[in-house]
Amino acid sequence: MNKQISFKEAVTILILMLVMLGWGVIGFGLSPQIPVLTVIALLIFWLQIRGFEWEEVMKGISQGISTAIVPIFIFLLIGTLIAVWIQAGIIPSLMVLGFHMISSHFFVPSVFLVCSLVGLAIGSCFTTVSTVGIALFGMGSTLGINPALTAGAIISGAVFGDKMSPLSDSTNLASAVAETDLFDHIKNMMWSTIPAFIGSLLFFFFLGQSNKATSLAGIAAVESSLRQNFSVSFWAWAALPIILMFACAWKKVPAIQTLFANIFLSVAMIFVQNPGFKMQKLATLIESGYVSNSGNKTIDALLTRGGISSMMGTVSLIIMTLALGGILMHLGIIDSAMKPLVERLKKPGRLILTTIMAGIGINLFVGEQYLSVILPANAFKPAYKRIGLDPLALSRALEDGGSVINYLIPWGVAGSFVASALGVPVLDFLPFTMFSLLSPVFSILSGFTGIGLKWEQEKAA
């Protein structure tokens, strides 16, 4: 039996996968894990019929999952960080500080700017959303602002910071697979990133303004409840872990070490505030998260979260999506679908457009941020060399079509994470996540106009 997968066969498989994933998540409202697991089962069944050895299928699964070890560990640390940050009063303190600093009339654009700066400093969209983002989201809920709009501003700012930070895993990955210098890559991304940033800021400025007279009674009630139930003091408590996080970013400390340092500091703060805090209670907090019993429904809904167990849904989705991606990559399905396209791409605009669309397509098919960068890089790198484009053109396209789009996919790892952290479905905040929507647009325009497009001869000159 011929085991070579043809172009038509590969495309048919990918389209059927997309239909099944979309049908399950959007049509039936299922959690992403169920459709992904179903697709894996059917794909394995089809591969067995086609005569592929079981060892090859297992090798693909193993190779896919092996790339998830570090991200999974980071997710578990983030779940721990959320819990101890709440218990130590850090997130409540940030919420109270925000109530005093941010005007309700310009709340949404200020949320975008704050998350952009924090994300740039720490290099992690996930950490930004799950810490500062949660605090700002709580403020938005109190002010009566559309939760989807607030979530869109939080995620847009966090994605911008993640994309432009030298500490970002996705930024380092795009630079590495395209074989470019990291800081040259970040500098070159400004041609698409700065216009997307300005466009997003204007969008949030006009859509996020509110001329309504906002009652301060609701804010005062929430603030009072926070002060009664938590150790609220920004300069005494919340500033310490924030300063530590910025210091680690300045010294380029890896994400795992930064998270551990912040967790240890937060735990120390908990025992300083409450010397009688039991180790058993700390263990439960880290494992199961913080449970708020303040009596204020808004606070209890926002601050009952965190813990290792809260990340297990995301972890299971990561394992499944990477297993699926490993099968598709190892057995040549993705390569068979893309290779004929690569051979026909001879103009820079079309090549960049196709690279971005491939990244978006893999996000839809697989739902994994890293694979949406790695697979198009391997598929299109020869085409960029053939027409004389600098690898920086490829690395930017990988970011604009790959990593930033994963936050807009309901079954994507990043999309499911931020939706869980903020409690807003992906399809609700998608229209408001303007930075992720504009980034590929400006990148494509750069490809067709030539503005900001790097060529190999420019480097030689």
Side-chain angles (χ1 to χ4, degrees), residues 164-203:
M164 298 301 289
S165 174
L167 301 179
S168 167
D169 288 344
S170 61
T171 302
N172 278 275
L173 175 65
S175 174
V177 296
E179 300 178 10
T180 65
D181 177 77
L182 173 62
F183 292 98
D184 287 343
H185 166 60
I186 292 174
K187 181 180 178 181
N188 187 60
M189 282 198 296
M190 291 183 182
W191 288 101
S192 61
T193 302
I194 297 304
F197 179 87
I198 295 173
S200 300
L201 183 60
L202 292 174
F203 173 83

Side-chain angles (χ1 to χ4, degrees), residues 338-417:
M338 289 186 173
K339 190 173 181 179
L341 296 176
V342 174
E343 296 174 350
R344 295 180 174 88
L345 298 173
K346 299 179 180 180
K347 294 184 178 181
R350 292 180 180 179
L351 178 56
I352 289 173
L353 172 62
T354 305
T355 305
I356 290 175
M357 294 308 297
I360 294 173
I362 292 172
N363 270 310
L364 289 170
F365 293 136
V366 183
E368 210 292 310
Q369 187 180 41
Y370 296 152
L371 289 179
S372 70
V373 172
I374 295 171
L375 298 181
N378 293 332
F380 295 108
K381 192 181 298 182
Y384 280 78
K385 292 182 179 179
R386 187 173 64 247
I387 67 174
L389 277 175
D390 192 285
L392 290 170
L394 171 61
S395 63
R396 185 176 68 190
L398 295 174
E399 290 261 28
D400 290 331
S403 57
V404 305
I405 298 298
N406 198 255
Y407 297 89
L408 308 181
I409 309 301
W411 52 85
V413 174
S416 62
F417 177 86

Side-chain angles (χ1 to χ4, degrees), residues 291-353:
V291 178
S292 177
N293 294 305
S294 68
N296 184 299
K297 292 183 179 180
T298 301
I299 292 176
D300 291 343
L302 287 170
L303 299 184
T304 298
R305 62 182 63 240
I308 293 174
S309 61
S310 70
M311 294 292 135
M312 296 315 296
T314 301
V315 168
S316 67
L317 182 58
I318 291 174
I319 293 173
M320 291 179 192
T321 53
L322 284 178
L324 175 59
I327 296 172
L328 295 173
M329 183 167 56
H330 181 67
L331 298 180
I333 297 173
I334 292 289
D335 185 61
S336 296
M338 289 186 173
K339 190 173 181 179
L341 296 176
V342 174
E343 296 174 350
R344 295 180 174 88
L345 298 173
K346 299 179 180 180
K347 294 184 178 181
R350 292 180 180 179
L351 178 56
I352 289 173
L353 172 62

Side-chain angles (χ1 to χ4, degrees), residues 9-38:
E9 192 174 15
V11 170
T12 301
I13 292 170
L14 295 177
I15 291 176
L16 288 174
M17 284 174 47
L18 175 61
V19 170
M20 292 182 65
L21 290 171
W23 194 15
V25 175
I26 301 173
F28 287 97
L30 302 175
S31 63
Q33 286 89 338
I34 305 304
V36 171
L37 190 60
T38 302

